[in-house]
Amino acid sequence: MTVSHVDPGAKAVADEALPAPSGGRRPLLLASASLVLAVLVLAALSLSVGAGEVGPGDVLDYLLGRDGARADTRLALVVGDLRIPRTLTALLVGAALGTSGSLLQAVTRNPLAETGLLGVNAGASLGVVTGIAFLGVTSGYGHLLWAFGGAVAASGLVLLIAGRRGGGSPMRLVLAGSALGATFGGVTSVVIVNSAETYDRFRFWVLGSLAGVEGYSELKSLLPVLALGFLVALLVARPLSALALGDDLARGLGHRPSVIRVVVAVAVTLLTASAVALVGPVSFLGLLAGFLARAVTGPRLTAQILLAGLVGAGVLTGADVLARVVSRPFEAPVSVIIALVGAPVLIGIVRSKRLGAMGMTDPATEESAKPARRLLPRLGTPRTADAGAADTDSLVLRRGTLSVLLPRRAALAALFLAALLVTAVVLSAYAGQSEMSLSRTFNAVFGSGDRFDVLLVQKFRLGRIVAGLTAGAALGLAGCLTQTLARNRLATPELLGVNDGATAAVLLSTTLTGTFGAWWAGPVGALAAVLVVTTVSGGLGQRGYRVLVVGLAMSALASAVTQVVLSRRSLNAASSLYVWTSGSLNGRGYSVATPVLIGLAVLVPLALVVARQLNVLRFDDSTASSLGVAPGRVRLVCLLLSVGLAGLAVGICGPVGFVALASPVIAGRLAGPLRVPVVGSMLTGAVLIVLADTVGRIVFDGVEVPVGIVTTVLGGPFLLWVLLGRSAATRV
């Protein structure tokens, strides 16, 4: 049979659907036996390690019923009610997440697909937290139903994105999953962030932990669902192998691709929802299990799924053992341990040569080249009709021998944004939980009227507004510099790991010095993070999406450090720090804004000086060099500027997400494509922070939602729009 068209991704994975040569079965059996033995050893270690003076001998006596061990109430509690249920839960949850990761990687043809990276865990977690917080759900089946609903919504959105044109490329799908996960995580934080009691109840579970597993009640209730998920996964393995050849060939073999994808979604949802209901969201485990299983089995998909479950069980069990001993007398969240292992594996995967043939990088398109060609006449190339048309956008201001070329559209955009900023400041000063009229607010701003009004507005609200303005301007400018530097709309501080690196550094400095908010800690952490990301990825602007996924891995590592610090603090301290790590202006004022104001006074003029060179950097390096610009020097200056600005901003309000992403995009749309919107990005960032903070203060009566949570909830859909928009202006 002759086939006229083959799916472009099919060639890279077609061999995975073919039978394996018989010569490869013995190594596979040997590797499988070794994995089984390793899992058994880890399970025995899990039964032997933990709180209390119960060693391996006591555990063995209890298991074998020797010397009346089972009549010992202490052994019955430690071994029978705690360690055995915990070990069985780790094995089953690990197998479930490993199997889910392998299925997702196969159905999306994406080695980076994983329930944590694609937001499915976050969706299930949001469902469980919502059910517990608002309906008082306590049973295993209740947790399962709510986790199932959240996982269905998340996995459905992921498969919808994967089905869109261009949406299924490995990096774009991961970034879209990160956007979904951030949005779901932001909504989850809205539920738990304003109650210390709720935070204490959820702070380990939301991070992913087996510390709360006691007895068999929840495990027994969810065991049938897990069994059904495993069964569906095995039954769909053969049709899924045919799907790897492409939809047309799969139909020719008698399969229905749409039905296969739905069945895979059902299996993934059952397994993920059960796992999240039992231990909370655990990321990177499916990625690790799928990667290691594929390395052992090669193209055998059924064997991949089986071994991925086995690897997942072993990894989660081993991570749980480490979580019990790594920070005694405290217990670290198991997800932190897995993130410390999974993030380097993610970096190794994205650096592999195989991904380069799977849509790893997106070459410059004709659409992305058009703005560059329009810029050339402005940068010294021979004048053409296009150049003459471009000049009509500028206004020449002359006074004597001095003249200034003022871009008309950019100037109008800056005036509009400045007016919008004034409106946002007035609204923020007026809005709040106290009933104060607009006239009383204005009087209080100028120091007249009721003394309480003056104190409230001048000391608290205006100080907070100034802090928000400086942080927003710094983030907007940092995002503009990094996006232009990397020639990528997604290359922003939060996606490059800068925000999380700065956050971890601030918390570590608090632990070491005993004082919170050292101004220097944020820039130092940001610089360390960006140095790691650029070194590992091969440089900004040179590796397409690679730098972004390495940035996600860096964020996971920094977040793991942050969570370890929080887990070792008392409840009151951890609750306050958790609010700040969500991004908050609560209690921030003029004093914390001073370092950023000084930084802006120094760094903004430098950014304006290099703005013309930034325009040239939107070309390739050879074109920039021919126009008299040193790309390496400009890139280094811009990188240092953006790192310093982002680090200082984190010191004020914590890691506020998506402001650095949205500000340059919005400012660029207003100012036009011919110039880098340096001033517009600063104004837009300031507007977004002030408005988000205002919304967070008034959206719920008597409760404040941190500004970072507001921007995260609203920024996730914005990131999806940037990733999947059809317009050339929104393409990455």
Side-chain angles (χ1 to χ4, degrees):
M1 179 177 67
T2 302
V3 179
S4 58
H5 172 72
V6 178
D7 190 332
K11 186 175 181 180
V13 294
D15 58 335
E16 298 191 6
L18 299 177
S22 59
R25 291 177 182 172
R26 181 174 297 177
L28 176 59
L29 291 175
L30 181 61
S32 301
S34 300
L35 280 173
V36 171
L37 180 61
V39 170
L40 291 176
V41 171
L42 289 170
L45 189 61
S46 177
L47 292 174
S48 304
V49 175
E53 298 178 358
V54 177
D58 296 325
V59 173
L60 188 60
D61 288 341
Y62 180 85
L63 293 176
L64 298 178
R66 296 187 307 200
D67 301 327
R70 293 185 180 178
D72 189 326
T73 55
R74 183 172 64 94
L75 284 180
L77 173 64
V78 173
V79 181
D81 294 337
L82 295 178
R83 291 189 186 175
I84 293 178
R86 182 166 179 163
T87 301
L88 291 176
T89 301
L91 292 170
L92 288 172
V93 169
L97 293 176
T99 302
S100 297
S102 181
L103 289 174
L104 277 177
Q105 290 168 17
V107 76
T108 60
R109 303 176 199 167
N110 184 350
L112 300 179
E114 189 261 341
T115 55
L117 290 177
L118 297 187
V120 180
N121 285 2
S125 177
L126 173 59
V128 174
V129 170
T130 302
I132 294 175
F134 294 107
L135 298 178
V137 175
T138 57
S139 67
Y141 273 123
H143 292 171
L144 174 66
L145 290 176
W146 283 91
F148 187 84
V152 165
S155 59
L157 287 172
V158 166
L159 292 178
L160 181 63
I161 292 169
R164 287 177 60 93
R165 183 178 179 182
S169 66
M171 302 304 147
R172 191 165 295 194
L173 186 59
V174 169
L175 293 170
S178 298
L180 291 175
T183 302
F184 291 139
V187 177
T188 302
S189 296
V190 171
V191 178
I192 68 174
V193 76
N194 284 291
S195 169
E197 180 182 353
T198 305
Y199 172 70
D200 185 46
R201 188 176 178 185
F202 292 132
R203 63 170 166 164
F204 287 102
W205 182 87
V206 169
L207 298 174
S209 174
L210 288 116
V213 176
E214 296 179 3
Y216 300 93
S217 58
E218 289 200 358
L219 184 59
K220 285 181 179 178
S221 65
L222 296 180
L223 191 58
V225 183
L226 285 169
L228 180 61
F230 287 127
L231 179 61
V232 174
L234 291 176
L235 293 177
V236 81
R238 186 174 181 84
L240 196 54
S241 298
L243 193 63
L245 297 170
D247 287 5
D248 293 338
L249 288 177
R251 291 190 189 95
L253 293 173
H255 298 287
R256 300 175 63 182
S258 59
V259 174
I260 296 173
R261 292 189 176 94
V262 170
V263 174
V264 169
V266 169
V268 169
T269 302
L270 288 172
L271 294 172
T272 303
S274 301
V276 171
L278 285 168
V279 303
V282 178
S283 296
F284 288 108
L285 185 56
L287 179 78
L288 274 170
F291 173 74
L292 295 176
R294 192 164 48 252
V296 172
T297 65
R300 307 168 181 87
L301 187 55
T302 302
Q304 279 183 29
I305 294 173
L306 290 172
L307 260 69
L310 195 60
V311 171
V315 170
L316 185 59
T317 304
D320 183 46
V321 173
L322 288 176
R324 300 179 214 172
V325 301
V326 72
S327 60
R328 281 182 172 177
F330 304 96
E331 182 169 324
V334 69
S335 61
V336 171
I337 306 297
I338 293 178
L340 292 174
V341 178
V345 172
L346 175 60
I347 292 173
I349 294 174
V350 299
R351 286 184 62 89
S352 66
K353 294 181 179 180
R354 184 178 178 184
L355 276 187
M358 299 183 65
M360 171 78 185
T361 57
D362 289 321
T365 61
E366 193 69 16
E367 291 173 336
S368 64
K370 287 179 182 178
R373 287 198 293 269
R374 288 199 298 268
L375 274 168
L376 283 172
R378 305 289 306 146
L379 298 171
T381 54
R383 297 179 62 84
T384 64
D386 288 339
D391 285 340
T392 62
D393 182 54
S394 300
L395 179 66
V396 180
L397 302 178
R398 298 183 184 275
R399 185 175 180 85
T401 58
L402 299 177
S403 64
V404 176
L405 187 64
L406 186 66
R408 183 180 286 106
R409 180 173 173 179
L412 291 175
L415 289 175
F416 169 74
L417 289 170
L420 188 60
L421 181 59
V422 172
T423 304
V425 169
V426 172
L427 179 63
S428 183
Y430 165 70
Q433 302 296 336
S434 63
E435 297 180 358
M436 186 185 301
S437 65
L438 191 60
S439 60
R440 287 172 57 188
T441 302
F442 272 107
N443 290 334
V445 168
F446 296 105
S448 61
D450 185 81
R451 292 178 60 184
F452 175 77
D453 292 348
V454 174
L455 177 65
L456 176 64
V457 172
Q458 289 194 351
K459 183 172 180 58
F460 295 103
R461 291 187 183 174
L462 287 183
R464 181 171 180 155
I465 290 170
V466 170
L469 289 174
T470 54
L475 288 173
L477 180 54
C480 177
L481 293 174
T482 53
Q483 285 183 12
T484 309
L485 175 66
R487 296 192 287 269
N488 192 330
R489 289 186 185 275
L490 298 178
T492 57
E494 62 263 28
L495 292 180
L496 295 178
V498 172
N499 283 5
D500 287 305
T503 303
V506 170
L507 291 183
L508 286 175
S509 71
T510 302
T511 301
L512 296 175
T513 64
T515 58
F516 176 73
W519 69 269
W520 50 267
V524 169
L527 181 61
V530 82
L531 286 176
V532 172
V533 171
T534 53
T535 301
V536 172
S537 62
L540 291 176
Q542 302 299 318
R543 303 286 179 175
Y545 282 99
R546 176 185 289 182
V547 67
L548 299 176
V549 179
V550 173
L552 290 177
M554 184 67 224
S555 293
L557 289 172
S559 295
V561 174
T562 298
Q563 301 305 335
V564 168
V565 174
L566 290 178
S567 68
R568 298 178 69 91
R569 311 282 290 197
S570 65
L571 174 59
N572 290 335
S575 180
S576 300
L577 289 174
Y578 178 76
V579 172
W580 179 81
T581 58
S582 300
S584 176
L585 286 170
N586 189 22
R588 318 307 279 171
Y590 301 106
S591 59
V592 296
T594 301
V596 183
L597 286 170
I598 297 173
L600 288 173
V602 175
L603 300 179
V604 170
L606 291 175
L608 293 173
V609 168
V610 300
R612 188 175 180 83
Q613 284 75 22
L614 280 173
N615 277 314
V616 180
L617 280 185
R618 286 191 279 185
F619 308 127
D620 56 76
D621 286 358
S622 59
T623 303
S625 299
S626 67
L627 294 172
V629 174
R633 185 186 309 163
V634 174
R635 192 171 284 121
L636 177 62
V637 171
C638 292
L639 185 61
L640 293 176
L641 289 174
S642 61
V643 167
L645 289 165
L648 289 172
V650 169
I652 287 183
C653 56
V656 176
F658 294 104
V659 172
L661 167 70
S663 298
V665 175
I666 295 172
R669 293 294 296 270
L670 292 174
L674 299 181
R675 293 168 181 85
V676 177
V678 174
V679 175
S681 298
M682 293 174 55
L683 293 172
T684 305
V687 169
L688 292 177
I689 287 285
V690 173
L691 287 179
D693 184 51
T694 304
V695 170
R697 286 191 286 119
I698 66 176
V699 66
F700 296 119
D701 187 24
V703 175
E704 179 175 320
V705 179
V707 60
I709 294 177
V710 176
T711 60
T712 298
V713 172
L714 299 178
F718 183 86
L719 176 55
L720 288 176
W721 174 73
V722 172
L723 280 167
L724 304 175
R726 293 179 179 274
S727 170
T730 64
R731 285 193 183 275
V732 179

